[in-house]
């Protein structure tokens, strides 16, 4: 399933199993075996926390003689996202309170680690080896809400050299699509229902008025251990931040790093897994409330948007937290949890959500099935539901049924759009993608600035 697998090596005519737990990620590079457990793991006499990274000599491990070295152990604020090799080094991509850090480790030096000083705060920065067989140059890709993606190249230097290599030099940058000089990025923390601190990014004007009157777009995902990190978007810049109300206010964009994602490693994901899925929704609602408590926005000025699992997220906001939002944009969504395993790719998500054919699982699944949570007589936010006929991952039936039921219940200001092409993205080329994003953002802006 999504989180369990077996790894085998093909040697001669035989298959040799790498004997680890099924939820341990396995990576092999030359003579090194890397292991990343998704849950706490005991091997021999040693225990390793979920989200750690271990290294062992491949041949010794297969022979049962290796005690893995711990290359990374998660902390409360720091998680491992990925790794990459050069000829002599291993690069670790970490998130520390959702800001990037890169560690450089050398096997020849006993895995001693140093930090790469090329990571600006509140940015996403990922390093990959240019050639893992010949040389220690690396590519660095950095992006932020106000910073177009920039590709740089650097060298880690010769192992044992007296002087470290110089930092990375920019090679090429994506174009900018809006003037970012009048905006700033901030990070804040909301307190969820169970007391958990939930980080979120806020992008808005430097002279933002904290009087509750700013049209604000809140986005999130919260599933499948996927991390939402800072990223440049010309669409957000042009069609939201730079847009103006009648009294000259610009938009505010917010990204919530709720549980269910991977921002703090596997434990952050498992905290909102299956029966605990409600925590992801409580986190998102807490961010919405925090934005209002801080005076950034108000209920009538706050909208949310999400797609796929994010569509399920905002569908839950629509049906359970209608008092927090003035408008909802719900794209290519999963909305009906009773039969989702029998539609499109739904069966493959049982590991994430649970099995509705299991009565015990249905008891918690029904609490986040927006289609079943709709109630007659409830005043819902203005809603835009969009999908694509060709979506073979979630399937358009989910969006169609939700829109049809809202129509039958007499819900006012509920809109439905279905594109023919584009699959799960809802658009197959830049022109269609531009039109789709324009539809969503124009709908939200009009709904949130009408009065």
């Amino acid at each position: 399933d999504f989180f369990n697998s077996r790894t085998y090596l093909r040697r001669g005519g035989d298959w040799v199993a790498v004997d680890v737990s099924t939820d341990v990620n396995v990576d092999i590079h030359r003579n090194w075996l890397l292991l990343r457990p998704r849950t706490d793991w005991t091997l021999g006499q040693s225990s390793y926390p979920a989200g750690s990274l271990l290294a062992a000599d491949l041949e010794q491990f297969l022979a049962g003689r290796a005690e893995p070295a711990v290359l990374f152990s998660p902390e409360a604020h720091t998680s491992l996202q990925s790794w990459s090799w050069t000829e002599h080094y291993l690069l670790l991509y970490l998130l520390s309170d959702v800001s990037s850090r890169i560690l450089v480790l050398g096997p020849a030096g006993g895995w001693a680690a140093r930090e790469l000083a090329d990571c600006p705060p509140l940015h996403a920065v990922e390093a990959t080896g240019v050639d893992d067989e010949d040389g220690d140059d690396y590519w660095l890709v950095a992006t932020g809400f106000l910073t177009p993606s920039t590709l740089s190249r650097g060298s880690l230097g010769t192992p044992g050299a007296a002087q470290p290599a110089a930092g990375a030099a920019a090679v090429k940058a994506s174009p900018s699509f809006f003037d970012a000089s009048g905006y700033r990025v901030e990070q804040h923390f909301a307190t969820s229902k169970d007391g958990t601190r939930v980080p979120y990014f806020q992008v808005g004007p430097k002279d933002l008025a904290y009087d509750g009157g700013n049209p604000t777009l809140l986005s999130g995902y919260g599933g499948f251990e996927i991390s939402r990190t800072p990223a440049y978007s010309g669409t957000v810049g042009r069609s939201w931040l730079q847009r103006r109300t009648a009294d000259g206010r610009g938009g505010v964009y917010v990204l919530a790093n709720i549980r269910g994602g991977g921002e703090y490693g596997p434990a952050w994901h498992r905290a909102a897994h299956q029966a605990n899925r409600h925590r992801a929704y409580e986190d998102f609602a807490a961010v919405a409330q925090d934005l209002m408590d801080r005076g950034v926005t108000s209920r009538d000025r706050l909208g949310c948007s999400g797609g796929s699992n994010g569509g399920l997220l905002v569908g839950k906001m629509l049906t359970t937290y209608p008092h927090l939002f003035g408008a909802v944009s719900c794209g290519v969504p999963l909305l009906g949890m009773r039969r989702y395993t029998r539609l499109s790719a739904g069966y493959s998500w049982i590991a994430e959500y649970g099995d509705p054919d299991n009565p015990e699982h249905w008891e918690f699944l029904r609490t986040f099935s927006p289609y079943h949570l709709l109630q007659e007589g409830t005043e819902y936010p203005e809603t835009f539901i969009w999908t694509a006929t060709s979506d073979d991952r979630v399937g358009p039936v989910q969006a169609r049924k939700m829109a049809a039921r809202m129509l039958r219940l007499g819900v006012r200001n509920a809109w439905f759009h279905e594109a023919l092409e584009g699959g799960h993205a809802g658009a197959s080329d830049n022109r269609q993608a531009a039109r789709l994003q324009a539809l969503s953002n124009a709908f939200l802006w009009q709904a949130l600035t009408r009065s």
Side-chain angles (χ1 to χ4, degrees), residues 14-361:
D14 299 324
W15 290 101
V16 179
V18 179
D19 189 15
V20 296
S21 297
T22 59
D23 67 349
V24 174
N25 302 131
V26 175
D27 184 32
I28 296 172
H29 177 75
R30 295 203 293 266
N31 61 309
W32 292 108
L33 173 68
L34 297 185
L35 304 169
R36 179 183 180 267
R38 294 196 67 261
T39 56
D40 294 345
W41 182 44
T42 299
L43 181 66
Q45 301 300 312
S46 301
S47 295
Y48 305 100
S52 57
L53 186 67
L54 319 174
D57 180 274
L58 175 62
E59 297 300 332
Q60 292 185 17
F61 188 89
L62 294 177
R65 299 193 302 270
E67 176 96 4
V70 178
L71 307 188
F72 171 80
S73 187
E75 302 168 357
H77 298 276
T78 305
S79 67
L80 172 66
Q81 298 292 299
S82 63
W83 56 86
S84 178
W85 289 92
T86 67
E87 183 180 4
H88 298 104
Y89 297 99
L90 176 64
L91 297 161
L92 302 187
Y93 169 33
L94 310 180
L95 285 184
S96 184
D97 280 331
V98 207
S99 279
S100 295
R101 294 172 54 202
I102 305 294
L103 293 186
V104 182
L105 288 75
W111 300 107
R114 60 183 170 90
E115 192 154 347
L116 203 63
D118 291 312
C119 299
L122 305 186
H123 281 66
V125 184
E126 191 164 3
T128 56
V130 173
D131 187 342
D132 62 6
E133 298 292 341
D134 184 16
D136 292 304
D137 284 8
Y138 61 93
W139 295 114
L140 201 72
V141 178
T143 185
F145 294 107
L146 305 177
T147 307
S149 296
T150 302
L151 174 68
S152 303
R153 180 166 178 160
S155 176
L156 298 173
T158 305
Q163 296 293 330
V171 175
K172 193 172 184 179
S174 298
S176 59
F177 293 102
F178 64 98
D179 181 2
S181 61
Y183 302 92
R184 69 178 168 208
V185 179
E186 302 173 358
Q187 187 180 46
H188 299 274
F189 291 81
T191 301
S192 194
K193 185 176 180 180
D194 65 355
T196 300
R197 295 177 77 239
V198 180
Y200 67 92
F201 294 102
Q202 175 184 310
V203 189
K206 291 179 179 177
D207 59 352
L208 183 70
Y210 287 86
D211 59 1
N214 303 293
T216 301
L217 171 56
L218 173 59
S219 180
Y221 190 77
F224 297 93
E225 205 179 328
I226 294 173
S227 302
R228 292 292 305 276
T229 55
Y232 186 81
S233 170
T235 300
V236 170
R238 282 193 176 186
S239 68
W240 196 264
L241 296 178
Q242 289 196 327
R243 210 155 186 160
R244 290 291 180 267
T245 63
D247 60 353
R249 292 177 184 266
V252 177
Y253 176 73
V254 178
L255 176 63
N257 301 111
I258 61 178
R259 282 175 286 184
E263 289 87 348
Y264 290 105
W268 194 248
H269 168 244
R270 289 198 314 277
H273 184 245
Q274 292 197 357
N276 293 321
R277 173 66 54 177
H278 61 278
R279 291 175 179 164
Y281 310 128
E282 291 169 356
D283 290 357
F284 199 75
V287 172
Q289 187 63 57
D290 196 59
L291 289 167
M292 288 184 272
D293 292 345
R294 292 177 47 242
V296 175
T297 191
S298 59
R299 188 267 181 183
D300 291 340
R301 295 288 183 265
L302 178 60
C304 62
S305 69
S308 192
N309 174 73
L312 173 60
L313 167 67
V314 300
K316 174 69 172 176
M317 295 301 109
L318 169 71
T319 52
T320 304
Y321 301 92
H323 58 287
L324 294 179
F325 298 94
V328 174
S329 177
C330 181
V332 289
L334 179 63
L335 294 167
M337 304 306 291
R338 188 67 186 93
R339 297 181 64 251
Y340 86 93
T341 56
R342 305 180 190 185
L343 302 169
S344 302
Y347 192 83
S348 64
W349 309 326
I350 289 176
E352 177 75 8
Y353 300 118
D355 185 355
D357 291 330
N358 180 329
E360 292 183 6
H361 285 202

